[in-house]
Amino acid sequence: MDEPIFKEVLGRTEHPIKKQYTWWTEPVESGLQLAITLRYLAKGDSYESLSYAFRAVQNTISFIMSETCEAIIVEYVEEVIDCPKTPDGWKKVAKGFAER
């Protein structure tokens, strides 16, 4: 993914994934959360591999994945995902899968 697209996705998803700083922990910045999630989605790296690559513990990566994916879905659902509204629409989708 090139930088302008990354920045556009980050700009649209940053607010829901941004964490507050607390006195006992420093949050993982939004850009890093998005980078970890995109690496996982693109390459299918294991949480262990991502943990070494991004210096984050596996349970944090697990939390980042679900939260960031949810933010991406909420932000892009109307633009990207065209969900059929009728039974005939769903039959057309099923036929497309069957043909593949």
Side-chain angles (χ1 to χ4, degrees):
M1 176 180 291
D2 60 2
E3 187 176 353
I5 293 175
F6 181 85
K7 286 183 176 182
E8 189 250 329
V9 173
L10 179 60
R12 292 178 65 174
T13 60
E14 186 170 25
H15 181 70
I17 64 174
K18 190 172 186 172
K19 299 286 175 261
Q20 293 277 338
Y21 175 83
T22 63
W23 65 271
W24 70 85
T25 185
E26 191 170 326
V28 177
E29 69 176 64
S30 303
L32 185 57
Q33 290 182 52
L34 181 60
I36 290 170
T37 302
L38 292 176
R39 167 72 73 80
Y40 176 78
L41 294 173
K43 299 280 189 174
D45 286 359
S46 67
Y47 284 10
E48 183 177 7
S49 173
L50 292 168
S51 177
Y52 287 114
F54 291 98
R55 295 181 162 204
V57 293
Q58 292 180 32
N59 61 339
T60 299
I61 289 173
S62 175
F63 182 74
I64 286 170
M65 288 297 168
S66 61
E67 190 173 69
T68 307
C69 284
E70 181 67 27
I72 291 169
I73 290 167
V74 167
E75 184 60 36
Y76 286 94
V77 70
E78 295 298 322
E79 294 174 37
V80 179
I81 302 170
D82 184 26
C83 189
K85 309 259 189 282
T86 65
D88 288 334
W90 283 110
K91 288 177 184 175
K92 185 177 177 182
V93 170
K95 182 180 177 185
F97 276 104
E99 289 174 354
R100 283 188 174 183

